[in-house]
Amino acid sequence: MICQHKALAEGKWFDLTFAQQMANIGSEVFRAIMSRDKKDEKSADLSFERALELIDLTLEDPKNRPRLREISRVRESFVDYFKYDNQYRQTEESINQYFYNFNYLARIGV
């Protein structure tokens, strides 16, 4: 996988709060889902890869160690929803609602 977020991978990502990180991931997840709904597979795949890259950076962030289980589960369920059989029964609405909460927290500065 090619690094799409070079500046973030060099350490800027770790300066963001957990809520900001998750809100940014949510933006990529939303783009991936919307592109797939529009049958734009190339854009969907690129957004999917960017979302995974951001999730992996979030997993590497030392401040997020207490949240590794949640972040790992988010990654697993997103991959399952987007590329496999959706065994976790995620919906577009449930995914968007999950990430929307982080968007709200990031906006109020939590």
Side-chain angles (χ1 to χ4, degrees), residues 9 17 27-28 36 41 43 53 55 57 68 76-77 104 106:
T17 66
S27 294
E28 288 296 346
R36 187 175 70 177
E41 293 301 318
S43 292
E53 181 181 8
I55 292 169
L57 286 171
L68 289 180
E76 180 181 6
S77 63
Y104 175 75

Side-chain angles (χ1 to χ4, degrees), residues 11-98:
K12 291 184 180 185
W13 187 252
F14 298 162
D15 294 337
L16 300 176
T17 66
F18 177 68
Q20 290 170 326
Q21 290 172 344
M22 295 301 284
N24 278 284
I25 293 166
S27 294
E28 288 296 346
V29 168
F30 180 75
R31 282 187 201 98
I33 292 170
M34 290 297 103
S35 294
R36 187 175 70 177
D37 288 350
K38 292 178 183 176
K39 308 292 186 221
D40 184 354
E41 293 301 318
K42 183 177 180 181
S43 292
D45 286 342
L46 289 172
S47 292
F48 174 77
E49 288 179 16
R50 286 191 301 266
L52 290 184
E53 181 181 8
L54 294 178
I55 292 169
D56 291 343
L57 286 171
T58 304
L59 285 166
E60 292 174 15
D61 190 341
K63 75 174 166 284
N64 295 331
R65 288 203 48 74
R67 298 179 174 101
L68 289 180
R69 180 177 285 163
E70 176 183 1
I71 300 164
S72 297
R73 184 57 54 97
V74 166
R75 188 183 199 287
E76 180 181 6
S77 63
F78 175 57
V79 170
D80 177 58
Y81 171 79
F82 202 79
K83 293 288 185 181
Y84 294 101
D85 297 332
N86 194 17
Q87 72 180 19
Y88 296 111
R89 309 245 189 270
Q90 295 291 323
T91 65
E92 191 173 312
E93 181 180 320
S94 67
I95 293 169
N96 286 331
Q97 184 60 47
Y98 174 80

Side-chain angles (χ1 to χ4, degrees), residues 1-18:
M1 185 180 324
I2 297 171
C3 182
Q4 300 288 321
H5 299 95
K6 291 184 196 295
L8 295 176
E10 292 171 354
K12 291 184 180 185
W13 187 252
F14 298 162
D15 294 337
L16 300 176
T17 66
F18 177 68

